[in-house]
Amino acid sequence: MLEIEVVLSPALLRLTEVRNKNVVVIDILRATSTICTAIHEGASAVRPVKTTEEAIALKNHGYLIAGERDGHKLEGFDLGNSPFECMNGRVTNQKIALTTTNGTKCVQAATDAGASNVIAGSFLNIDATSEWLKKDGKDIVLLCAGWKDKVNLEDTLFAGAMASKILNNNFYTLDCDSTHLAIDVYELGKHNLAQFLIKSSHYQRLSNLHHQEDMEYCLSLNLFETVVGQKNVEMFKIN
Ligand code: MLT
């Protein structure tokens, strides 16, 4: 049987074997939702980087530079981290270097830990991504970006949603309480994701920054079927 495991925080990744497994990096508000949107909207690639310096250096190589810290767009960057900034042709055929508070560091951590494929997780394409993972037939790790190594509600909720979809066939099993926990959180919140998340810290943080429409969008289900994964150092459409 294949295994699926939820890692609730990057701080717990060191306890998890990811070699030869598919790792779904989850930063619903907003990094991996934005990455999936950018690729769906025709960006030729998104390169997640850890630091602002790495992003700025890539500007000289023809990249749009995008990013935020604590939800605030970085000074002098072309884009922040709102999925809406990747629409209306703004990123079509462009390469984007993206650095965010949590999500892009997680992509790097999964890569450094030897993941087979690093996939961007989002509600926007959750069914297509779940089907791709089941077809690829590897053990799966659902890695929650959280907030500065703390567990957060939105990424855990998504992990429960994806785990429920992966486990609805006979090929996958689970053997970790974090997956049970994530599934139970999803069962509590699945009927109204936004209502369930109003209490979460990042939802409050982004609301104070007037990013309500970003959150509404990032919690929308199956807007597109584009599946996004990393090859070498950049993320592309992989289906
Ligand atoms: C993150 O990396 O945690 C998010 O991208 C933060 C944000 O977009 O506000």
Side-chain angles (χ1 to χ4, degrees):
M1 291 283 273
L2 292 163
E3 285 231 348
I4 185 166
E5 177 177 1
V6 171
V7 178
L8 293 169
S9 154
L12 299 171
L13 185 61
R14 62 184 176 79
L15 306 174
T16 310
E17 177 54 72
V18 300
R19 268 192 301 272
N20 305 318
K21 297 183 184 179
N22 283 332
V23 177
V24 180
V25 173
I26 304 166
D27 186 345
I28 296 303
L29 299 175
R30 302 165 289 178
T32 49
S33 300
T34 297
I35 290 170
C36 291
T37 301
I39 297 296
H40 178 69
E41 290 286 335
S44 47
V46 175
R47 184 166 177 170
V49 293
K50 282 166 73 168
T51 67
T52 54
E53 292 76 13
E54 285 172 283
I56 291 166
L58 287 166
K59 189 151 179 76
N60 302 329
H61 296 272
Y63 285 77
L64 286 177
I65 58 174
E68 57 70 37
R69 287 294 182 270
D70 298 334
H72 297 272
K73 177 180 174 183
L74 289 163
E75 182 113 3
F77 275 49
D78 301 305
L79 305 169
N81 188 33
S82 167
F84 289 101
E85 294 179 274
C86 299
M87 297 176 183
N88 308 317
R90 178 73 180 83
V91 301
T92 306
N93 299 323
Q94 300 266 5
K95 293 182 122 179
I96 303 169
L98 175 69
T99 180
T100 69
T101 310
N102 303 278
T104 55
K105 291 182 182 69
C106 254
V107 171
Q108 194 76 55
T111 307
D112 294 348
S116 242
N117 291 294
V118 179
I119 308 291
S122 85
F123 282 112
L124 306 165
N125 57 356
I126 185 170
D127 284 358
T129 303
S130 303
E131 286 314 307
W132 187 95
L133 288 164
K134 286 189 272 192
K135 213 174 285 168
D136 196 54
K138 292 187 181 72
D139 287 342
I140 297 168
V141 173
L142 302 179
L143 174 57
C144 298
W147 183 260
K148 298 181 181 178
D149 277 352
K150 290 182 180 172
V151 174
N152 72 11
L153 209 44
E154 65 272 17
D155 294 345
T156 306
L157 183 72
F158 176 87
M162 179 155 275
S164 304
K165 290 179 184 292
I166 298 290
L167 288 163
N168 73 1
N169 68 23
N170 303 323
F171 303 114
Y172 281 87
T173 183
L174 66 99
D175 179 24
C176 69
D177 287 358
S178 53
T179 309
H180 285 300
L181 184 151
I183 290 170
D184 287 352
V185 166
Y186 176 61
E187 286 303 313
L188 282 172
K190 68 183 180 182
H191 297 300
N192 189 333
L193 301 179
Q195 188 59 38
F196 184 74
L197 288 174
I198 279 178
K199 54 181 173 288
S200 76
S201 53
H202 200 41
Y203 201 99
Q204 290 302 323
R205 191 177 297 117
L206 290 176
S207 298
N208 296 337
L209 295 171
H210 311 296
H211 288 317
Q212 281 83 347
E213 61 171 7
D214 281 22
M215 293 187 281
E216 237 171 81
Y217 171 80
C218 292
L219 298 178
S220 307
L221 289 170
N222 295 313
L223 296 188
F224 47 78
E225 294 185 345
T226 304
V227 177
V228 178
Q230 182 160 294
K231 291 192 184 107
N232 297 325
V233 292
E234 293 181 333
M235 296 202 121
F236 298 90
K237 183 178 188 307
I238 58 172
N239 64 331

